[in-house]
Each structure stands twice: as C-alpha cells, then as structure tokens.
Amino acid sequence: MSAPLLELNNVGKNFDGKWVVRGASFKLERGEILALVGPSGAGKTTILRMINLLERPDEGEIKICSEKPNGNALALRRKMVMVSQKPVMFSGTAYDNAAYGLRLRGAPEADIRESVEQALEILGLSGYGHRKARTLSGGEAQRLAFARAAVVQPDIMLLDEFTANLNPSNIDILEKALREYVALYNCGVVLVTHNLFQAKRLADRTGVLLGGKIVEMGSSKEIFENPKTEEGKKFIHGEILF
C-alpha cells in the first residue's frame, strides 16, 4: 500500500494564547475526498492554511507526500493547490489565467495548450479563452480559478468553501469537475464546506470539527447516518449552528 499523501499528527495552532486547533490527526490517501465540516470559527480554514504551509503548527507535525516541511516548503507547496471562496483573477485572458501555473513550472507551450483547453471544456468555459478574465461573472471566475489549479496536476487539492454563494448550475459544474480531476490524476482532496449535503455527496470521509478539535472522523455514510459522539450528533442534527 502506498504512503498517504498527507498526514497530520496531533497538530495544533495557537493565536494570542488561544488554541484554535488542537490535536488534529488524520491521513489523506490518493483518490480520496476528505471533507471537514463544522461551525464558523471551528478551525477548518486554519487547518487548510497549515497544510498549505501558510501557517506553522505550534505543536504536532505535518507530512506532505511523506516529507516534513524542513527548508523544502516551495517544493512541497508545488505538490498542492488551494482554491478559496473568493477567486482572484490575474490580468490578461481566461487562457492566460488557466495557463499561469504551468508556465511558472516551465511546461512546453503545446502541453499547456492541451491541458488548458481540456480544463476549459471540463469547466464549461470552452470558447472563453480569449475573454478578459476580470470581465467574467462570479461563477465563471470561480470555475476558471478551479481550472487554473487543476491543470498543474497536483497531488493534493485544498478547497475552502469553493462553491459558496454560487448558483446550483455552477455548483454542479464544479462538483463534476472535481470528481473528474480526482479520477484523472488520482489526487487527494481536503474539502472545507459549510454545506453538509455537499460533504455527503462528494466526500469519502468526513471529519466534524468543533471548538478546534476533530470530534468525529469516519466514512461520510457513518458520519451522516450514525454519528458516534454526542457532539457529532448535535452538529449533524442542527443543534449546533453555524
């Protein structure tokens, strides 16, 4: 069995004397979508930022593709991509935006064109390549941001509320694209979402995060149909609100 793509072992983060994440432990395997759900302020985004090496844990350790981030942060970050709730569009065309990461990596232009055109098609943006990226609608921009991340063929995708505030059509396109890229590249995904229905639809496993601690982790079927902990039950049943 291959090594996990990602390992968190008792990871914690302290801000100004307050532990916002404590004792977080889980693994991410290839081809797996892992959802983290919980109310606002539970620590979900902080976990993503630590995985993406934007924050340093104050306790515990993180391994990315079996490596600890010791002076090799750039190399490890290139194994990952992060798509947040609010897309940032660079100047230039939609094609230029989608090609950005591949050009940074020095990929041949023919390979870039093939990957970008495939991504634009998957994301329902065929024919948009020549358009100025900053003129796109919110939903189109988010789809383009996902395409820009996916074309670099990451080992790990980090998605932070990547469909929040979008209409059902855009959500459907993005969710289908996510499934397709996981199948294409056998990558792993950590998905932070407030949408419990989305976690149930997409995730192989789900973790419930409350007060900075993962109180429950298991298959999504188990978590949503038969949570084991009292806190998990209260959250899944809506007694602990966002």
Side-chain angles (χ1 to χ4, degrees), residues 61-135:
E61 69 173 18
I62 297 174
K63 289 184 180 179
I64 299 160
C65 298
S66 300
E67 295 184 59
K68 296 179 184 179
N70 297 319
N72 57 349
L74 178 59
L76 291 181
R77 287 196 71 195
R78 285 193 167 186
K79 297 177 183 290
M80 301 180 282
V81 294
M82 189 165 179
V83 180
S84 60
Q85 180 176 344
K86 296 180 180 179
V88 175
M89 293 290 99
F90 306 141
S91 60
T93 65
Y95 181 95
D96 291 332
N97 270 258
Y100 181 78
L102 290 171
R103 285 176 173 160
L104 278 183
R105 289 160 172 79
E109 196 62 35
D111 293 347
I112 292 174
R113 181 167 297 279
E114 181 180 355
S115 295
V116 168
E117 288 179 352
Q118 178 190 44
L120 294 180
E121 182 177 355
I122 290 172
L123 273 300
L125 296 171
S126 292
Y128 282 61
H130 67 285
R131 291 179 55 175
K132 295 294 185 183
R134 290 177 177 170
T135 67

Side-chain angles (χ1 to χ4, degrees), residues 41-54:
K44 303 182 300 297
T45 296
T46 299
I47 287 178
L48 282 194
R49 289 179 60 82
M50 287 191 287
I51 294 170
N52 204 32
L53 309 181
L54 298 173

Side-chain angles (χ1 to χ4, degrees), residues 37-39 196-197 200 208 210 216 221-242:
V37 300
L196 299 186
F197 296 105
K200 192 173 182 179
V208 179
L210 297 173
E216 190 138 3
K221 180 178 175 63
E222 292 172 348
I223 294 297
F224 289 105
E225 294 183 6
N226 188 30
K228 299 295 190 295
T229 65
E230 194 61 32
E231 301 104 311
K233 289 177 184 177
K234 287 182 178 179
F235 178 75
I236 296 301
H237 296 154
E239 296 176 43
I240 298 175
L241 302 179
F242 292 104

